[in-house]
């Protein structure tokens, strides 16, 4: 080993050990995520990079890298992904031991459904699930339609070439989440600013966990305000029905989970979905003329785009065999949802084909931690796409698809801007 190599390895080792204190690893202090861990977040347009497909074909369970002394595995196969996501015995979702003081169960700011295990997860989800039944969600349907129509007016008023991300794709789910949670108007601008940063891993754990901390703190304060005067939304409803059975920390975490699952994900689906549909004019025409055609289109967009790139990390609690590999206790399992949703062994593969049945996808996850707000997300998309196509049947992309700029390193994939020509002449 050369002196230079030895020196570099020593420096790297010291940096790693500096981040591992007496209480263990603190991911929230990392200022960057190494490329060996982040490359699966890359895409070519809306498609996962070719390397993902190659890994899936060769090893649907693949050792991705070693990071801070832990082995990190990536699961890209559909069957293997479902096996891991459904197994609550061999794996834990509790990431709090790995984020230092922020993981404290008394005064920390990291938690919620995605980062907890039974029985605590079971108790929390039992409180939240009734708020997402179709009966209760139906109360939101008129408000969703009104929000969509209002944002269509905003788009039209913005001129012939608005940015669909800023005028429609982000505001619609943002306003729906505010209605769902029951946030007063005066809190909404602060809330809006907390949206996207939590999913961007460009600046490592410092950026992601810092953004999570800010939104959770904001929602815990919103919860405290509603203790004495419960609002009409989810926060107030749970307070009225359960009172002191749930504390502000846990209720703020549930509200933050709804925020996490319902804002950036739906915004990305609306923007990316529109970009895809505008390149399939027959589907855009169908949405404008036959709103009933929307369901299979939405399901295929969910499968094909799978904007949540990796499920919540699973930490192996024991040695477990997955596929032909023995995964050691303490290893991290990352399930790559876009790769699994395009696994040609069990799905439609890389093709985009709304005419085929594609509802059995992993866009909302699988098993105990499957997204509790899946039906709300579907409701938003099924309302928004036909309304958009009816109002602007001749809408076109205002730039070449190859010139669109996408999120570089984000757990929720999306697009930075989507300039559209509202009343262009269709010449494709």
């Amino acid at each position: 080993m050369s002196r230079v190599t030895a020196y570099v390895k020593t420096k790297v080792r010291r940096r790693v050990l500096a981040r591992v204190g007496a209480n263990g690893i603190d991911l929230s202090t990392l200022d960057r995520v190494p490329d060996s861990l982040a490359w699966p977040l890359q895409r070519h347009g809306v498609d996962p990079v070719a390397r993902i497909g190659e890994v899936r074909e060769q090893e649907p369970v693949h050792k991705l890298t070693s990071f801070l002394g832990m082995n990190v595995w990536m699961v890209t196969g559909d069957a293997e992904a479902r096996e891991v996501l459904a197994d609550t015995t061999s794996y834990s979702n509790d990431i709090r031991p790995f984020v230092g003081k922020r993981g404290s169960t008394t005064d920390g700011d990291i938690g919620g459904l995605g980062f907890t295990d039974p029985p605590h997860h079971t108790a929390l989800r039992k409180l939240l699930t009734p708020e997402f039944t179709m009966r209760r969600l139906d109360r939101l349907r008129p408000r969703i339609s009104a929000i969509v129509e209002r944002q269509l007016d905003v788009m039209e008023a913005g001129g012939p070439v608005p940015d669909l991300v800023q005028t429609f794709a982000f505001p619609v789910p943002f306003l729906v989440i505010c209605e769902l949670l029951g946030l007063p108007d005066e809190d909404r601008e602060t809330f809006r600013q907390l949206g996207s940063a939590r999913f961007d891993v460009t600046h490592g754990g410092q950026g992601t966990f810092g953004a999570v901390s800010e939104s959770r703190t904001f929602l815990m304060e919103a919860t405290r305000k509603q203790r004495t005067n419960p609002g009409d939304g989810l926060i107030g409803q749970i307070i009225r029905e359960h009172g002191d059975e749930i504390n502000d920390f846990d209720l703020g975490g549930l509200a933050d989970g709804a925020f996490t699952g319902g804002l950036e994900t739906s915004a990305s689906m609306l923007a990316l979905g529109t970009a895809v549909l505008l390149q399939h004019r027959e589907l855009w025409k169908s949405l404008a003329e036959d709103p009933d055609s929307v369901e299979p289109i939405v399901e295929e967009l969910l499968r094909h785009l799978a904007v949540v790139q990796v499920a919540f990390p699973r930490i192996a609690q024991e040695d477990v065999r997955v596929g032909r590999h023995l995964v050691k206790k303490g290893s991290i399992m990352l399930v790559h949802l876009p790769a699994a949703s395009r696994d040609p062994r069990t799905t439609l593969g890389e093709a985009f084909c709304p005419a085929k049945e594609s509802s059995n996808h992993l866009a909302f996850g699988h098993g105990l931690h499957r997204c509790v707000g899946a039906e709300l997300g579907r409701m938003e998309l099924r309302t928004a796409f036909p309304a958009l196509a009816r109002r602007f049947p001749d809408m076109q992309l205002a730039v070449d698809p190859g010139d669109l700029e996408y999120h570089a390193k984000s757990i929720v994939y999306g697009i930075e801007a989507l300039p559209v020509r509202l009343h262009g002449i269709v010449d494709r």
Side-chain angles (χ1 to χ4, degrees), residues 355-420:
K356 302 284 183 69
E357 175 62 39
S358 60
S359 60
N360 189 29
H361 51 70
L362 292 174
F364 294 114
H366 180 68
L368 186 68
H369 288 276
R370 185 179 183 274
C371 177
V372 71
E375 291 310 313
L376 175 60
R378 285 187 167 107
M379 187 182 292
E380 289 177 303
L381 299 177
R382 291 170 182 171
T383 302
F385 285 132
L388 197 59
R390 281 196 306 271
R391 179 74 71 94
F392 306 116
D394 296 329
M395 181 191 288
Q396 288 181 308
L397 294 176
V399 296
D400 188 277
D403 293 333
L404 294 172
E405 184 179 353
Y406 299 89
H407 296 344
K409 292 181 181 179
S410 183
I411 296 168
V412 176
Y413 192 66
I415 195 167
E416 298 293 336
L418 186 66
V420 292

Side-chain angles (χ1 to χ4, degrees), residues 1-326:
M1 182 185 298
S2 71
R3 290 182 179 180
V4 173
T5 302
Y7 173 78
V8 170
K9 286 193 172 184
T10 299
K11 293 288 286 184
V12 170
R13 183 173 180 271
R14 286 176 179 171
R15 288 184 64 188
V16 168
L17 291 176
R19 293 166 179 167
V20 182
N23 295 323
I25 295 168
D26 185 356
L27 297 175
S28 68
T29 64
L30 298 177
D31 56 7
R32 65 179 293 273
V33 175
D35 290 341
S36 61
L37 189 59
W39 75 261
L41 301 179
Q42 299 171 355
R43 296 202 193 189
H44 180 68
V46 300
D47 301 320
V49 292
R51 185 178 172 188
I52 285 287
E54 294 166 2
V55 168
R56 183 184 57 217
E57 182 177 354
Q58 295 168 12
E59 282 191 313
V61 179
H62 169 75
K63 186 176 177 182
L64 184 62
T65 189
S66 292
F67 182 60
L68 298 180
M70 298 179 292
N71 289 328
V72 181
W73 293 80
M74 180 172 68
V75 183
T76 53
D78 177 69
E80 294 82 0
R82 292 175 189 274
E83 178 184 341
V84 171
L85 296 177
D87 187 346
T88 58
T89 302
S90 304
Y91 306 100
S92 169
N93 270 49
D94 192 350
I95 200 174
R96 289 173 295 183
F98 300 94
V99 292
K101 293 180 179 179
R102 285 184 165 170
S104 169
T105 56
T106 55
D107 59 357
D109 48 34
I110 302 297
L113 284 176
F115 294 132
T116 55
D117 299 325
H120 189 47
H121 175 275
T122 308
L124 291 177
R125 192 169 179 114
K126 186 176 180 181
L127 295 175
L128 191 60
T129 299
E131 303 304 316
F132 287 91
T133 62
M134 287 309 300
R135 180 177 63 84
R136 291 201 177 174
L137 289 179
D138 276 341
R139 298 180 304 180
L140 277 176
R141 197 182 298 273
R143 287 296 302 135
I144 293 174
S145 296
I147 287 168
V148 166
E149 291 300 325
R150 189 181 89 174
Q151 291 308 130
L152 291 174
D153 293 340
V154 170
M155 284 185 68
E156 191 144 32
V161 187
D163 174 10
L164 186 135
V165 171
Q166 294 299 319
T167 58
F168 190 78
F170 186 88
V172 167
F174 168 72
L175 293 170
V176 170
I177 287 294
C178 288
E179 292 287 334
L180 174 72
L181 296 179
L183 292 180
D185 291 344
E186 60 268 23
D187 286 346
R188 294 186 177 188
E189 177 56 27
T190 301
F191 191 49
R192 184 189 67 79
Q193 296 174 14
L194 301 174
S196 303
R198 61 192 298 142
F199 300 108
D200 189 344
V201 301
T202 304
H203 302 293
Q206 291 180 0
T208 301
F209 289 111
V212 170
S213 171
E214 290 179 14
S215 66
R216 188 181 176 95
T217 300
F218 172 82
L219 286 166
M220 280 194 287
E221 181 58 32
T223 296
R224 292 188 189 100
K225 290 179 182 177
Q226 293 202 34
R227 281 289 177 187
T228 54
N229 186 24
D232 295 330
L234 179 149
I235 295 173
Q237 187 69 22
I238 291 178
I239 289 173
R240 278 190 295 272
E241 292 183 358
H242 300 281
D244 293 336
E245 291 177 35
I246 182 169
N247 59 35
D248 291 345
F249 180 84
D250 284 338
L251 182 50
L254 288 181
D256 191 51
F259 173 49
T260 301
L263 178 54
E264 187 74 6
T265 49
S266 292
S268 292
M269 277 301 306
L270 284 171
L272 290 173
T274 300
V276 170
L277 292 170
L278 290 179
Q279 297 172 72
H280 293 78
R281 300 306 307 187
E282 74 286 358
L283 297 179
W284 193 254
K285 184 173 186 287
S286 176
L287 287 170
E289 298 175 356
D290 179 17
D292 290 339
S293 67
V294 71
E295 288 195 20
I297 292 175
V298 163
E299 290 306 314
E300 177 62 351
L301 285 171
L302 286 166
R303 182 198 72 85
H304 189 70
L305 296 174
V307 296
V308 179
Q309 306 221 70
V310 291
F312 287 110
R314 267 63 173 176
I315 303 106
Q317 300 300 287
E318 59 191 25
D319 291 357
V320 56
R321 185 164 294 280
V322 187
R324 61 185 182 86
H325 294 283
L326 181 64

